[in-house]
Amino acid sequence: MLTKGNTAPMFYRILSRFPPNITFSFAYGSGVKQQLGQDAVQKKRNMIDLIFTVDNAHRWHASNLERNPEDYSGLKHLGSNFVAKYQESFGAKVFFNTLIPIPEEDVMIKYGVVCTKDLLDDLTSWSNLYLAGRLHKPVEIIRPASGSKIQNAIDTNLRAAVHAALLLLPEKFTEFELYRAITNLSYAGDFRMIFGENKDKVNNIVRPQLENFRNLYSTTLNHLDNVLILPAKNSDNSICIQDHSEKTILYHLNQLPKWPIRRIVNKQTKGRYRQDTEDILTSVSKSSNYREIVGQCLRAIVWQSSVKQSIKNIPSAGATKSVRYSWAKALKTFNM
């Protein structure tokens, strides 16, 4: 998960611009990790995406409004208490400030603020599959988790991603297809993929980062040797073989986080009557279309959170920045 490079000192300098009570922070996206078809110059031009995890949103925004009032849209005039409530009330529980110039580093950043409790909830239950999805991929850790709860939740999230991906994959697949399936968990269903995003985005993320994905998932995959056969020599063309018995499918279903399981149960019962969850999952494991059932439920979570968070981001960015950001995304997609 932790990768260090020449950019690390820059991230530390950027972090020093903000209030210090950040419990966990990471950078992600095309401004941080190389994507296929992107040279070093293009990477540098891309905005750097940051996530700041804080224990108390009201206190943090109050301090940040004193330090960096120009980062905020007109919502700042409603005060830090409103900003904190706006962050925590709906969407993926993240408040973004976007298109923030850092002239001394010659970069532009976007940063999202999330409460520790909300990050933990998404990582362990996939309530939104929003930040959980971003942490399915290699990221740059800027400030390591201050306690074991966040790191344990990150590990839980990675394990769940593998179980979900295996449910969606056939009996035989390549290593590249495994990491592509994992990455696609938080893109399939995202309404932004309909427009404004490169349709090859998932492939472009995975292909140049195979080694980083291997490092990120090696521990989890090694613990699945009873249901998954990995090639002795890692290669994106090497064939992986998984057990497709009903018992193993049920095992993977039971390892899914709370919200995907709830959606599977509701979908199968149509919400009309109560039935034991284990009975429903057993029935799904015997079904020939279990992949479709799981895929639909995961896409529904992503669709809902991506729509709500995108609407939420308009007031937090402000009208002018929202237009600029959307236009920049469209141009980037067109030019790739």
Side-chain angles (χ1 to χ4, degrees):
M1 178 69 68
L2 174 61
T3 52
K4 294 183 178 180
N6 295 330
T7 56
M10 178 190 71
F11 287 134
Y12 300 147
R13 291 192 296 270
I14 291 174
L15 203 62
S16 68
R17 178 182 184 270
F18 297 97
N21 49 330
I22 294 172
T23 58
F24 174 62
S25 178
F26 65 91
Y28 66 97
S30 58
V32 179
K33 295 298 183 182
Q34 188 72 34
Q35 293 189 11
L36 202 65
Q38 171 184 272
D39 58 29
V41 174
Q42 288 173 315
K43 180 182 174 185
K44 182 173 176 57
R45 283 201 300 260
N46 288 336
M47 186 163 56
I48 294 174
D49 297 305
L50 302 163
I51 293 294
F52 301 153
T53 306
V54 302
D55 286 336
N56 186 305
H58 167 63
R59 188 181 303 138
W60 194 89
H61 284 295
S63 180
N64 196 43
L65 278 165
E66 291 182 2
R67 288 184 179 221
N68 305 299
E70 69 284 355
D71 290 0
Y72 291 79
S73 69
L75 293 182
K76 66 186 174 186
H77 299 300
L78 300 174
S80 59
N81 191 45
F82 177 87
V83 171
K85 286 183 178 178
Y86 189 75
Q87 171 188 313
E88 297 178 88
S89 295
F90 65 96
K93 311 291 180 68
V94 188
F95 186 95
F96 281 102
N97 285 323
T98 190
L99 294 172
I100 310 300
I102 309 293
E104 58 271 26
E105 304 293 345
D106 191 27
V107 297
M108 189 83 72
I109 69 170
K110 176 180 76 174
Y111 63 92
V113 184
V114 64
C115 283
T116 304
K117 62 180 176 59
D118 293 322
L119 174 65
L120 292 174
D121 179 58
D122 197 30
L123 289 173
T124 57
S125 74
W126 285 8
S127 52
N128 294 293
L129 241 179
Y130 192 82
L131 295 181
R134 281 150 179 77
L135 287 166
H136 286 164
K137 303 179 285 292
V139 299
E140 185 89 15
I141 302 297
I142 304 172
R143 178 162 293 171
S146 57
S148 59
K149 281 187 177 180
I150 292 178
Q151 187 56 57
N152 289 341
I154 289 172
D155 294 339
T156 297
N157 182 47
L158 294 177
R159 288 193 295 270
V162 171
H163 289 293
L166 290 175
L167 283 166
L168 299 174
L169 286 165
E171 182 180 5
K172 296 181 180 181
F173 50 89
T174 65
E175 186 186 16
F176 170 76
E177 288 170 333
L178 170 62
Y179 299 136
R180 184 177 63 188
I182 289 172
T183 301
N184 199 46
L185 293 173
S186 58
Y187 284 112
D190 190 332
F191 89 101
R192 294 170 299 177
M193 295 300 290
I194 301 173
F195 61 91
E197 288 287 4
N198 181 4
K199 297 302 182 288
D200 290 324
K201 186 179 181 70
V202 174
N203 287 345
N204 293 346
I205 289 171
V206 177
R207 184 68 69 182
Q209 292 198 78
L210 275 172
E211 193 58 38
N212 288 334
F213 273 97
R214 287 168 184 153
N215 293 335
L216 188 58
Y217 284 98
S218 60
T219 300
T220 298
L221 293 173
N222 287 337
H223 282 108
L224 289 173
D225 57 356
N226 58 325
V227 296
L228 177 65
I229 300 174
L230 295 172
K233 184 178 180 181
N234 283 326
S235 167
D236 61 336
N237 291 319
S238 298
I239 299 299
C240 309
I241 303 173
Q242 65 166 319
D243 179 12
H244 254 186
S245 66
E246 292 175 2
K247 178 181 178 182
T248 297
I249 293 168
L250 178 60
Y251 166 65
H252 291 315
L253 288 169
N254 276 305
Q255 302 308 308
L256 293 177
K258 177 175 70 176
W259 280 104
I261 289 178
R262 280 189 180 182
R263 283 190 172 269
I264 290 171
V265 170
N266 288 337
K267 178 177 175 59
Q268 295 306 104
T269 63
K270 296 181 172 56
R272 289 198 299 257
Y273 60 92
R274 295 181 63 86
Q275 187 177 345
D276 184 71
T277 296
E278 188 65 21
D279 289 343
I280 294 172
L281 295 184
T282 299
S283 174
V284 171
S285 72
K286 298 175 184 294
S287 171
S288 60
N289 67 332
Y290 71 88
R291 284 195 197 91
E292 182 182 347
I293 294 170
V294 172
Q296 286 179 351
C297 291
L298 292 173
R299 289 194 296 273
I301 294 173
V302 174
W303 172 267
Q304 186 176 51
S305 66
S306 67
V307 169
K308 289 182 177 180
Q309 184 65 40
S310 293
I311 293 171
K312 177 180 179 178
N313 289 346
I314 296 172
S316 64
T320 302
K321 283 188 176 181
S322 293
V323 171
R324 285 176 58 197
Y325 181 71
S326 298
W327 181 248
K329 293 282 281 187
L331 284 178
K332 178 181 169 185
T333 302
F334 181 77
N335 291 327
M336 287 186 74

